[in-house]
Amino acid sequence: MVPHSMFDVLSYQEVHGANGYLIDQFLKDHVNDRTDEYGGSLENRCRFPLEVVKATSDEIGTDKVGIRLSPFANYNDCRDSNPNELGMHTTKALNKFGILYAHVIEPRMITQFERVEIKSSLTPMRMAFEGTFIVAGGYNRDDGNEVIASGGADLVAFGRLFLANPDLPRRFELDSVLNKYDRSTFYTYDPVVGYTDYPSLKNLSF
């Protein structure tokens, strides 16, 4: 029998509106060249993403829905001419649904793999969004703690560090050494290499 708590976890959904995938392509004016009600103005470009959020919320409840956004990113040539305006408009539009969280990629992650320090900030989006605000993009232990302490976010998401360190919370707690991730294994079909073969602290000798 599957525990009821597992069903609860599986019922939460994150709408992927980032990283150059379908929803992001509707949002970004560089790739959205539609001439119907889903293209052109900010309101039109946000229409499909908001419809997805509404449909998901209607199905499982707004308290179980989050969304991932990357208004500043240029993944797969998917960029916007005014990411600040896009981010703010999207954030404010999401508030009317009362979803659980927004998971937003930092402006410095313009490209998929490297940090590029720029002047833009997620602070306006953070201040405008009425739910839990999660940031992601090149964080480590120290600047993750800093952004939480400063009120810049409620939570920090870690991707590559978590992939290479399955016990990342424990390592952060101890301020311990981290495994270095192997980028060449990020997108492979091997079910073990690069996914489950990184050692945990208890398997390391110092």
Side-chain angles (χ1 to χ4, degrees):
M1 175 180 289
V2 179
H4 185 267
S5 59
M6 184 174 293
F7 283 116
D8 290 342
V9 171
L10 293 176
S11 68
Y12 285 80
Q13 295 291 323
E14 178 173 278
V15 176
H16 199 334
N19 300 86
Y21 292 107
L22 180 62
I23 291 176
D24 200 27
Q25 292 171 28
F26 275 83
L27 289 169
K28 303 288 181 62
D29 60 10
H30 183 70
V31 291
N32 184 343
D33 57 2
R34 299 177 69 104
T35 58
D36 59 9
E37 67 270 27
Y38 293 97
S41 68
L42 269 173
E43 290 77 8
N44 284 356
R45 286 185 279 124
C46 287
R47 189 183 307 277
F48 176 65
L50 295 176
E51 288 178 350
V52 173
V53 168
K54 183 180 186 305
T56 308
S57 298
D58 288 347
E59 184 67 27
I60 65 173
T62 57
D63 61 330
K64 293 182 173 64
V65 177
I67 189 168
R68 179 173 168 93
L69 299 168
S70 59
F72 295 88
N74 180 18
Y75 300 165
N76 303 317
D77 205 30
C78 189
R79 62 180 182 271
D80 194 80
S81 61
N82 193 335
N84 286 291
E85 186 179 28
L86 173 63
M88 285 298 292
H89 181 88
T90 307
T91 300
K92 291 179 179 179
L94 287 167
N95 282 334
K96 68 179 181 181
F97 297 103
I99 62 173
L100 182 61
Y101 69 84
H103 174 191
V104 189
I105 299 175
E106 286 282 357
R108 63 193 179 201
M109 302 303 293
I110 297 175
T111 61
Q112 195 163 1
F113 297 119
E114 302 298 336
R115 286 176 52 158
V116 179
E117 298 302 332
I118 62 176
K119 294 181 179 179
S120 297
S121 168
L122 293 181
T123 299
M125 292 180 65
R126 156 65 163 164
M127 299 301 293
F129 187 64
E130 297 172 358
T132 298
F133 197 78
I134 306 172
V135 294
Y139 277 97
N140 57 35
R141 177 182 182 273
D142 292 338
D143 57 13
N145 285 334
E146 182 179 339
V147 72
I148 296 296
S150 67
D154 297 303
L155 297 168
V156 177
F158 297 91
R160 288 167 283 181
L161 291 187
F162 232 132
L163 183 65
N165 298 273
D167 50 0
L168 186 64
R170 180 60 174 164
R171 290 176 189 253
F172 277 179
E173 181 184 5
L174 299 175
D175 196 12
S176 180
V177 63
L178 300 180
N179 297 324
K180 293 183 178 180
Y181 55 78
D182 181 358
R183 183 172 291 162
S184 69
T185 65
F186 281 1
Y187 302 102
T188 68
Y189 294 102
D190 194 301
V192 175
V193 177
Y195 290 96
T196 62
D197 59 340
Y198 286 103
S200 62
L201 278 175
K202 64 182 180 181
N203 294 326
L204 293 175
S205 58
F206 298 98

